[in-house]
Amino acid sequence: MGFTGQCRCGQVQLHLQVQTLAPLYACHCLNCQRWSGSAFALHMLCPAQAIEVSGNTQTYTLAAEGHTSTQYACGTCFTRLFNETDAAPGMRVVRAGILHGADRLAPLAHIWVKRKQPWISLPEGVAQWPQSPTPEEFAAVISEQA
Ligand SMILES: [Zn+2]
Ligand SMILES: [Zn+2]
């Protein structure tokens, strides 16, 4: 299954090739609201080697809660593209709004819904957690989808 994506200016192109549909989830935490300048962030969790990036990127690395996270952005227009964290080695979390056709996919989970903006109604039956789920809880939802 393949996806392509790009930043706002088109300088960076992204190709994503995954064996099974990579899990898409929305994070409503305050940091994601600030990072995105929006109500929530849409993330796709992918194996790092499934992602091919062309173009110049700039990175921003931060340490928080005992983990180091590196954010990749277009070096020209600064669209956020994906990040890596040592909390999930070998994975990259793609900002799914940059993908072509992301509108065909619905998030399988919503996290940090205690920070969700009150005007957003979530569909019934979709997994949600007040904060972050444990890796086991999240994996259980992913395996239901597969
Ligand atoms: Zn750009
Ligand atoms: Zn978040």
Side-chain angles (χ1 to χ4, degrees), residues 3 16 39 41 43-44 46 50 52 56-58 63 66 72 74 92 104 106 108 111 118 124 127 131 139:
F3 285 96
L16 185 62
H43 297 310
M44 191 181 269
C46 304
E52 198 180 299
N56 295 319
T57 55
Q58 287 209 12
Y72 288 76
C74 169
R92 281 174 166 171
R104 294 194 308 265
L108 58 81
I111 72 172
E124 265 178 54
Q131 299 183 36

Side-chain angles (χ1 to χ4, degrees), residues 48-119:
Q49 75 270 15
I51 300 173
E52 198 180 299
V53 185
S54 60
N56 295 319
T57 55
Q58 287 209 12
T59 58
Y60 169 63
T61 299
L62 80 162
E65 289 153 26
H67 292 291
T68 301
S69 166
T70 303
Q71 312 282 324
Y72 288 76
C74 169
T76 300
C77 72
F78 298 100
T79 299
R80 290 176 67 219
L81 304 162
F82 56 87
N83 76 283
E84 300 166 345
T85 167
D86 62 10
M91 303 299 282
R92 281 174 166 171
V93 185
V94 177
R95 307 281 95 81
I98 70 167
L99 300 173
H100 302 128
D103 54 317
R104 294 194 308 265
L105 307 171
L108 58 81
H110 291 261
I111 72 172
W112 275 94
V113 297
K114 74 176 201 182
R115 298 306 303 247
K116 181 178 76 61
Q117 305 223 338
W119 50 267

Side-chain angles (χ1 to χ4, degrees), residues 7-12 74 76-77 79:
C7 63
R8 176 68 178 84
C9 79
Q11 192 259 124
V12 176
C74 169
T76 300
C77 72
T79 299

